[in-house]
Amino acid sequence: MPVISAPYAFNESRLFVDLRSIVGHPLYLKCEGFNFAGSIKLKAANEMVTAAERQGILTRDSILVESSSGNLGVALSMIAASKGYRFLCVTDSRCNLSTRLLMEALGSEVHVIAEMNVDTGFLGARLDYVRELCASDDRYVWLSQYTNPGNWLAHYRTTAPEIADEFPRLDVLFIGAGTTGTLMGCARYFREHSPSVRIVAVDSVGSVAFGGEPGRRMIPGLGMSMRPPLLDESFVDEVIKVEEADTIRTCHRLARSGFLFGGSTGTVVSGAVDWLNRNDTRGITAVAVAPDLGERYLDTIYQTNWLQDLYGDQVLDSGARTTVASSGPRGRAAPHGRDRRGGGAGRV
């Protein structure tokens, strides 16, 4: 039994759920929500804070500040509380109420941006506010998850090797795209260590991370209103975009089987299932990354009035079909013919 003295020292990140009986395809879901921060963002937060301390940027007099839609804010709140730092999270009105309350319970200050920037949306308005704070007081230390290499390095060092160790003959990996830290860290690792693995990025319709027209997005986590500075599309084989209504249907489908996951996970699984529907899955080894669990979404994607007000009465109609946009930057053929942990035929 592990014994810890700091909350960030615990992170169960080697748990995988076999979703075949639920989604009808071979798909393993890597669960990243089993830590005291409740999400995969603990890895990036740890990496960025440790690097800032090592470089002397972060001192006892510093005030950590970060723009976050929720999960990174919680992770930084937990770390700041444990290490004795002050932390200000700049978020916006789409952030789940339970997430804001959790950050405040951990001793953090939360500033909610109520109006979006005309050109760059809520994210642009949040970043403008952070820049103004930093310019007004040099005690503020902005880790900048959107540009900090520690964001992707954390997953190069942890998430990707954890997947590779469990599935040494992996065929395809589905990863949600927000800041693209997880995506870039995993993609770089597999390009270096197992370049035949197909990397599929899953984004939200209305996000402009990979181009396209901006649109309304109400579920925090995935998607960006600007191109992510960390993104290098040469590492990505294919991009799938998922409608938020399909994210919601997938979350509820998983919940009906006893697995309560967050909106980002619903998006990734929805995109993965669409890809698997369109490809030969015989003997394939496919893994998707689940960034968090669903408790923080009880007042949004699991709340009937919220769903009906935003998406209409038919949003949970089981007969509705998934609508996604798909593209393949590198254009490689989809792999097939591998069993979990090896064996089976070769790939194309």
Side-chain angles (χ1 to χ4, degrees), residues 57-65 86 88 109 128-143:
I57 297 171
L58 188 58
T59 69
R60 289 297 170 190
D61 295 327
S62 300
I63 305 172
L64 274 170
V65 61
R86 293 173 59 189
L88 168 62
E109 182 182 349
D128 288 343
Y129 186 83
V130 171
R131 292 188 185 100
E132 290 174 6
L133 279 180
C134 293
S136 68
D137 190 332
D138 59 11
R139 291 179 300 167
Y140 284 106
V141 174
W142 180 21
L143 297 176

Side-chain angles (χ1 to χ4, degrees), residues 62-83:
S62 300
I63 305 172
L64 274 170
V65 61
E66 186 57 84
S67 160
S68 170
S69 62
N71 282 338
L72 183 70
V74 172
L76 287 173
S77 293
M78 187 194 73
I79 293 173
S82 177
K83 294 192 172 191

Side-chain angles (χ1 to χ4, degrees), residues 206-242:
S207 165
V208 300
F210 295 90
E213 292 297 317
R216 185 189 74 164
R217 292 180 294 112
M218 299 304 297
I219 301 174
L222 298 186
M224 292 276 280
S225 56
M226 66 179 189
R227 180 179 174 82
L230 296 177
L231 176 62
D232 183 342
E233 288 189 58
S234 69
F235 288 94
V236 179
D237 293 300
E238 189 171 349
V239 179
I240 295 177
K241 288 193 173 183
V242 176

Side-chain angles (χ1 to χ4, degrees), residues 115-125 128:
E115 295 184 8
M116 65 177 67
N117 184 294
V118 175
D119 299 317
T120 56
F122 276 118
L123 176 57
D128 288 343

